[in-house]
Amino acid sequence: MEGKESEVVLIGTWASAFCKRVELALKLKGIPYEFVEEDLENKSELLLRNNPVHRKVPVLLHKGKAIPESLVILEYIDEYWTKAPRLLPDDPYQRAKIRFWANYHDEKIAQAITPIIFSEGKEREKVIEDFQQLLKVFEEGIERDFQGKSPFLHGGNLGFLDLVVGTYACNYQAFHDSIAVVFETEKNPQFFSWLMALKDHPRIKETLPPSDKLATKYKELFLPPYSKRIATIRERYLQSPKA
Amino acid sequence: MEQVTVLGSWPSPYAYRVLWALELKGVEYEYVEEDLLNKSDMLLKYNPILKKIPVLIHAGKPIVESPVIIEYIEETWPQNPLLPQDPYEKAMARFWTKFCDDKGLAFTLFFIGVGEEQQKAAKEVREALKTIEEKALGEKKFLGGDEIGMADLAWGVLATSLGVIEQIVGMTIFDAESFPRLHRWAQNFREHPVISKNLPELEKLLVNYTRKREMYLDTKIA
């Protein structure tokens, strides 16, 4: 479709998995879009105006409206452009299970990376163990909830969970090379096998940033000296009540 | 119709969201009260991972986490919709619902925190109320428009628990002068024909929450 009415703009950063998953959704649906690279250390008027509440990426701009929050954006994309491929299945119970695990991934697994980044020594060992335990819960939960019909690469196609987990966890090599080893085959064999299969999928392969470029970016962001933005995130983490 | 059961805990705002959704849609259900200090086999069976309420069980299938449950209810029983048809408005309802859940920790620290931690939390909750009043509610009757929607169910905590918490901690943050529109919204919410029949008893809530705060403060000192 041509014309301003159909114009889709994605405000994001190349290094953010939460932005990559939106890009992948747009690409899978064949929706043309303009990508606006944001400098998170120096946020633009465009971002601040379109996500005043959180001031974060990604933000999707469509028909003059702004939609933030990557999982909200993915559902919006699936509901506005109903053509194939569908990202979520039709059955409400299957949708519920996928939404649960997508939320678990973002709210528990992805959040568990922050303590790893900002700790060291024995404390870091412990939080890595905690992280691997969350992956174990994820593995067992998916197995039980989907009973052999893995939601990953279901029927060979990429679906909601593939986008959520794949764009995030398939960057593990860059994280290992820059910060710490967190994904170990022996500790989480099932999760690792999903990652291997996802990494090989051509659409995921072409969407993910090059590992070495990402590793350099992670070092820049998460090793001292920290930018003002990262220092704030670190402070907030260090001051937060620990479980 | 297949059996619908809700595992809940009567003081929980999250459980209320689910009950309100079912009541608004006229779905018959069985309610099972859980003792969270002594979790039942049923709860551990149907929510083995998080072991939390609310849990919706429909024809033997468990659904957990209130936002996921509300979406399931909406998709399974489409009458009296809680989400608009328009994809953008739907996205906004989800956004504001998530915003409420993101503020869960701030609400909690306002309730059981002390000193500076509590002050910071109070400030954060007030800012969230300002955001909701200006950006989510605006001039509408409900966050969902003319009718109660998903986001109203989430923010319903303002119409039930928050006043009780303010009383217990001795600090008012949701005052009518600062938030006239949101106060009117809370009143409309409480007076809605379905919601009004499904509100927690505030005196019981006061006793329950007072005990909870004492428990948390005791464990902190211990």
Side-chain angles (χ1 to χ4, degrees):
Chain A
M1 261 169 77
E2 299 291 308
K4 273 224 104 128
E5 265 291 294
S6 60
E7 201 178 270
V8 177
V9 175
L10 176 61
I11 310 172
T13 58
W14 66 265
S16 158
F18 302 97
C19 300
K20 283 296 181 195
R21 55 174 66 153
V22 174
E23 276 198 274
L24 190 45
L26 294 169
K27 284 185 188 182
L28 288 175
K29 296 252 192 193
I31 301 159
Y33 64 96
E34 183 197 344
F35 187 85
V36 174
E37 179 74 25
E38 184 65 36
D39 176 6
L40 294 178
E41 311 301 331
N42 190 19
K43 290 175 180 177
S44 72
E45 171 63 36
L46 183 73
L47 175 62
L48 298 178
R49 191 170 12 106
N50 286 298
N51 191 3
V53 176
H54 298 303
R55 302 181 291 278
K56 285 166 143 182
V57 293
V59 184
L60 190 79
L61 305 179
H62 181 225
K63 297 175 86 167
K65 304 270 174 59
I67 301 122
E69 297 290 323
S70 66
L71 296 184
V72 174
I73 299 172
L74 290 184
E75 296 230 24
Y76 174 84
I77 289 171
D78 210 26
E79 278 157 4
Y80 189 89
W81 291 277
T82 53
K83 59 185 165 173
R86 296 306 304 269
L87 301 177
L88 280 170
D90 286 327
D91 175 68
Y93 187 52
Q94 299 303 320
R95 290 163 76 92
K97 289 188 284 190
I98 287 172
R99 282 175 176 138
F100 174 83
W101 289 110
N103 285 330
Y104 189 89
H105 175 273
D106 277 8
E107 281 159 30
K108 298 262 189 304
I109 293 173
Q111 291 298 315
I113 289 289
T114 305
I116 295 171
I117 290 170
F118 296 125
S119 61
E120 48 192 43
K122 278 267 168 277
E123 203 209 310
R124 180 177 268 193
E125 276 173 34
K126 176 177 183 304
V127 292
I128 290 178
E129 263 175 44
D130 293 344
F131 175 77
Q132 290 169 340
Q133 182 54 32
L134 292 171
L135 293 184
K136 194 152 184 284
V137 171
F138 188 87
E139 290 172 311
E140 290 168 1
I142 296 271
E143 173 63 46
R144 186 187 47 246
D145 274 0
F146 294 97
Q147 311 240 331
K149 294 202 193 119
S150 166
F152 290 104
L153 293 171
H154 192 62
N157 298 316
L158 292 176
F160 204 83
L161 269 183
D162 298 306
L163 267 56
V164 167
V165 178
T167 53
Y168 188 87
C170 286
N171 296 312
Y172 69 88
Q173 195 56 59
F175 194 81
H176 288 184
D177 291 342
S178 56
I179 311 293
V181 174
V182 297
F183 293 98
E184 295 176 74
T185 335
E186 325 82 63
K187 298 275 171 65
N188 302 109
Q190 181 63 274
F191 197 87
F192 220 75
S193 74
W194 291 326
L195 290 191
M196 290 300 104
L198 284 171
K199 256 184 70 160
D200 263 343
H201 193 286
R203 303 312 291 265
I204 298 237
K205 233 196 266 204
E206 80 196 12
T207 305
L208 292 183
S211 188
D212 50 359
K213 191 176 176 205
L214 194 57
T216 305
K217 183 68 181 176
Y218 286 162
K219 281 188 196 156
E220 206 182 281
L221 286 172
F222 302 129
L223 299 179
Y226 304 113
S227 70
K228 190 156 171 278
R229 178 179 70 97
I230 299 292
T232 308
I233 294 172
R234 180 171 174 269
E235 259 318 294
R236 204 181 305 138
Y237 161 68
L238 292 175
Q239 284 180 12
S240 65
K242 306 285 182 291
Chain B
M1 201 192 66
E2 287 146 328
Q3 175 71 25
V4 179
T5 306
V6 177
L7 306 184
S9 169
W10 73 265
S12 161
Y14 299 100
Y16 265 96
R17 294 185 198 183
V18 174
L19 299 182
W20 287 331
L22 293 169
E23 293 281 347
L24 285 165
K25 288 173 179 281
V27 176
E28 274 182 38
Y29 62 94
E30 178 203 1
Y31 175 77
V32 175
E33 177 70 23
E34 277 289 329
D35 176 2
L36 297 179
L37 297 175
N38 188 19
K39 292 176 181 177
S40 73
D41 290 339
M42 202 180 180
L43 175 58
L44 298 177
K45 174 185 172 192
Y46 286 112
N47 192 359
I49 294 169
L50 300 173
K51 306 182 180 66
K52 286 158 99 177
I53 57 92
V55 181
L56 181 81
I57 306 160
H58 181 213
K61 299 171 292 191
I63 300 109
V64 307
E65 293 294 280
S66 62
V68 178
I69 296 173
I70 304 291
E71 298 260 11
Y72 178 85
I73 290 172
E74 178 68 5
E75 286 165 4
T76 305
W77 296 282
Q79 68 271 25
N80 301 347
L82 298 169
L83 281 176
Q85 288 285 17
D86 175 63
Y88 170 71
E89 297 299 335
K90 234 188 223 184
M92 284 301 104
R94 288 176 175 140
F95 176 81
W96 292 121
T97 300
K98 184 166 194 293
F99 184 63
C100 183
D101 292 336
D102 287 346
K103 293 300 161 191
L105 182 59
F107 274 108
T108 301
L109 291 178
F110 173 62
F111 174 34
I112 60 167
V114 289
E116 203 188 307
E117 189 183 58
Q118 188 190 36
Q119 293 293 337
K120 271 174 74 177
K123 185 163 178 278
E124 192 179 334
V125 174
R126 266 186 79 89
E127 280 165 9
L129 297 182
K130 189 157 184 286
T131 301
I132 287 297
E133 187 178 72
E134 287 173 11
K135 297 198 160 66
L137 181 64
E139 302 300 325
K140 297 181 293 191
K141 183 175 186 196
F142 294 114
L143 298 171
D146 294 328
E147 300 294 338
I148 287 180
M150 175 193 271
D152 297 285
L153 299 186
W155 287 97
V157 65
L158 301 183
T160 54
S161 304
L162 185 57
V164 175
I165 290 171
E166 286 173 306
Q167 212 180 319
I168 293 169
V169 306
M171 203 192 302
T172 303
I173 51 176
F174 181 31
D175 58 288
E177 219 185 291
S178 306
F179 305 101
R181 281 176 289 171
L182 207 52
H183 255 259
R184 240 188 334 268
W185 165 85
Q187 203 177 329
N188 286 329
F189 187 82
R190 276 190 298 261
E191 289 174 3
H192 183 281
V194 173
I195 303 293
S196 59
K197 295 200 200 71
N198 293 281
L199 287 171
E201 283 178 55
L202 295 183
E203 308 76 41
K204 278 178 79 179
L205 217 51
L206 184 64
V207 171
N208 182 281
Y209 281 3
T210 302
R211 206 181 310 133
K212 269 204 177 85
R213 180 168 152 92
E214 281 164 8
M215 253 170 59
Y216 281 119
L217 293 179
D218 283 344
T219 56
K220 271 185 134 165
I221 294 163

Coordinates of all heavy atoms in Angstrom, one line a residue, chain A residues 3-4 7 18 20 25 32 37 39 44 50 56 91 105 116 130 132 135-136 143 147 152 171 173 183 186-187 233:
Chain A
G3 N 1.3 5.6 0.1 CA 0.6 6.8 0.7 C 0.8 7.0 2.2 O 1.2 6.0 2.9
K4 N 0.6 8.2 2.7 CA 0.9 8.5 4.0 C 0.1 7.7 5.0 O 0.5 7.4 6.1 CB 0.6 10.0 4.3 CG 1.8 10.9 3.9 CD 2.0 12.0 4.9 CE 3.2 11.6 5.8 NZ 4.3 12.6 6.0
E7 N 1.8 4.7 6.2 CA 3.2 4.8 6.6 C 3.4 4.3 8.0 O 2.7 4.6 8.9 CB 3.5 6.3 6.6 CG 5.0 6.6 6.5 CD 5.2 8.1 6.5 OE1 5.3 8.7 5.4 OE2 5.3 8.7 7.6
F18 N 14.3 -5.9 21.9 CA 12.8 -5.5 21.9 C 12.4 -4.8 20.7 O 11.3 -4.9 20.3 CB 12.5 -4.7 23.2 CG 12.9 -5.4 24.5 CD1 14.1 -5.2 25.1 CD2 12.1 -6.4 25.0 CE1 14.5 -5.9 26.2 CE2 12.4 -7.1 26.1 CZ 13.7 -6.8 26.7
K20 N 14.2 -5.3 17.7 CA 14.4 -6.3 16.6 C 13.1 -7.2 16.5 O 12.7 -7.6 15.4 CB 15.6 -7.2 17.0 CG 16.9 -6.6 16.7 CD 17.1 -6.3 15.2 CE 18.4 -5.6 15.0 NZ 18.5 -5.0 13.6
A25 N 8.6 -8.9 13.1 CA 7.1 -9.0 12.8 C 6.7 -8.3 11.6 O 5.9 -8.8 10.8 CB 6.3 -8.5 14.0
P32 N 6.0 -2.6 4.8 CA 7.1 -1.7 4.6 C 7.1 -0.7 5.8 O 6.1 -0.2 6.2 CB 6.8 -0.9 3.3 CG 5.5 -1.4 2.8 CD 4.9 -2.3 3.8
E37 N 16.6 5.4 13.9 CA 17.6 5.0 14.9 C 17.6 6.1 16.0 O 17.9 7.2 15.7 CB 19.0 4.8 14.3 CG 20.1 4.4 15.3 CD 20.0 3.0 15.8 OE1 19.5 2.1 15.0 OE2 20.5 2.7 16.9
D39 N 19.1 7.7 19.6 CA 20.3 7.8 20.4 C 19.8 7.8 21.9 O 19.3 8.9 22.3 CB 21.2 9.0 20.1 CG 22.4 9.1 21.1 OD1 22.6 8.2 21.9 OD2 23.0 10.2 21.0
S44 N 15.5 11.9 21.4 CA 15.0 12.8 20.4 C 13.6 13.3 20.9 O 12.9 12.7 21.6 CB 14.9 12.2 19.1 OG 13.8 11.3 19.1
N50 N 6.4 10.9 21.5 CA 5.6 9.7 21.2 C 5.6 8.6 22.3 O 4.8 7.7 22.2 CB 6.0 9.1 19.9 CG 5.5 9.9 18.7 OD1 4.3 10.0 18.5 ND2 6.4 10.5 18.0
K56 N 11.0 5.2 26.2 CA 11.8 4.0 25.8 C 11.4 3.6 24.4 O 10.4 3.9 23.8 CB 11.5 2.8 26.7 CG 12.1 2.9 28.1 CD 11.4 1.9 29.0 CE 12.3 1.2 29.9 NZ 11.6 0.2 30.7
D91 N -6.9 -20.1 18.9 CA -7.5 -20.6 20.0 C -7.1 -19.8 21.3 O -6.0 -19.6 21.6 CB -7.1 -22.1 20.2 CG -7.6 -22.7 21.5 OD1 -8.9 -22.9 21.6 OD2 -6.8 -23.0 22.4
H105 N 9.2 -14.7 30.0 CA 10.5 -14.4 29.4 C 10.9 -13.0 29.6 O 12.1 -12.7 30.1 CB 10.5 -14.7 27.9 CG 11.7 -14.3 27.2 ND1 12.0 -13.0 26.7 CD2 12.8 -15.0 26.9 CE1 13.2 -13.0 26.2 NE2 13.7 -14.2 26.3
I116 N 23.2 -9.8 36.7 CA 24.4 -10.4 36.2 C 25.4 -9.3 35.7 O 26.5 -9.3 36.0 CB 24.1 -11.4 35.0 CG1 23.3 -12.6 35.6 CG2 25.4 -11.9 34.4 CD1 22.7 -13.5 34.5
D130 N 20.8 -18.3 39.4 CA 19.3 -18.0 39.5 C 18.8 -17.9 38.1 O 17.7 -18.4 37.8 CB 19.2 -16.6 40.2 CG 19.5 -16.7 41.6 OD1 19.6 -17.8 42.2 OD2 19.7 -15.6 42.2
Q132 N 19.8 -19.4 35.3 CA 19.7 -20.7 34.7 C 18.5 -21.5 35.3 O 17.9 -22.3 34.6 CB 21.0 -21.4 34.9 CG 22.1 -20.8 34.0 CD 23.5 -21.3 34.3 OE1 23.8 -21.9 35.4 NE2 24.4 -21.2 33.4
L135 N 15.5 -20.4 33.4 CA 15.5 -21.0 32.1 C 14.9 -22.4 32.3 O 14.2 -22.9 31.4 CB 16.9 -21.1 31.5 CG 17.5 -19.8 31.1 CD1 18.8 -20.0 30.3 CD2 16.6 -19.0 30.1
K136 N 15.3 -23.1 33.4 CA 14.9 -24.5 33.7 C 13.4 -24.5 33.8 O 12.7 -25.3 33.3 CB 15.6 -25.0 34.9 CG 15.5 -26.5 35.1 CD 16.7 -27.0 35.9 CE 16.7 -28.5 36.1 NZ 15.7 -28.9 37.1
E143 N 7.3 -27.5 28.1 CA 7.2 -28.9 27.9 C 5.8 -29.3 28.4 O 5.0 -30.0 27.6 CB 8.3 -29.7 28.6 CG 8.1 -31.2 28.5 CD 8.2 -31.8 27.2 OE1 9.1 -31.4 26.4 OE2 7.3 -32.6 26.8
Q147 N 3.0 -30.0 25.7 CA 3.0 -31.4 25.5 C 3.5 -31.9 24.2 O 2.8 -32.6 23.4 CB 1.5 -31.9 25.7 CG 0.8 -31.3 26.9 CD 0.3 -32.4 27.8 OE1 0.0 -33.5 27.4 NE2 0.3 -32.2 29.1
F152 N 7.8 -23.4 19.6 CA 8.9 -22.8 18.8 C 8.9 -23.4 17.4 O 8.9 -24.6 17.3 CB 10.2 -23.1 19.6 CG 10.3 -22.3 20.8 CD1 10.2 -22.9 22.0 CD2 10.6 -20.9 20.7 CE1 10.3 -22.1 23.2 CE2 10.7 -20.1 21.9 CZ 10.5 -20.7 23.1
N171 N 21.2 -13.7 20.8 CA 22.4 -12.9 20.9 C 23.4 -13.4 22.0 O 24.3 -12.6 22.3 CB 22.0 -11.5 21.2 CG 21.2 -10.8 20.2 OD1 21.5 -10.9 19.0 ND2 20.0 -10.2 20.6
Q173 N 25.9 -15.2 22.2 CA 27.4 -15.2 21.9 C 28.0 -13.9 22.2 O 29.0 -13.8 22.8 CB 27.7 -15.7 20.5 CG 29.1 -16.0 20.2 CD 29.6 -17.1 21.2 OE1 29.0 -18.2 21.2 NE2 30.6 -16.9 22.0
F183 N 24.4 -18.9 29.2 CA 23.7 -20.0 28.6 C 24.6 -21.1 28.5 O 25.6 -21.0 27.7 CB 23.2 -19.6 27.2 CG 22.1 -18.6 27.2 CD1 22.4 -17.2 27.0 CD2 20.8 -18.9 27.5 CE1 21.4 -16.2 27.0 CE2 19.8 -17.9 27.5 CZ 20.1 -16.6 27.2
E186 N 24.8 -27.7 29.0 CA 24.6 -28.8 30.0 C 23.5 -28.4 31.0 O 22.8 -29.2 31.5 CB 25.9 -29.1 30.8 CG 27.2 -29.1 30.1 CD 27.7 -27.6 30.0 OE1 28.0 -27.0 31.0 OE2 27.8 -27.1 28.8
K187 N 23.5 -27.1 31.3 CA 22.5 -26.6 32.3 C 21.1 -26.5 31.8 O 20.1 -26.8 32.4 CB 22.9 -25.2 32.9 CG 24.3 -25.1 33.6 CD 24.2 -25.5 35.0 CE 25.5 -25.7 35.7 NZ 26.3 -24.4 35.7
I233 N 20.4 3.4 35.7 CA 19.8 2.1 35.7 C 20.5 1.2 36.8 O 19.9 0.5 37.6 CB 19.9 1.4 34.3 CG1 19.0 2.1 33.3 CG2 19.5 -0.1 34.4 CD1 19.1 1.6 31.9

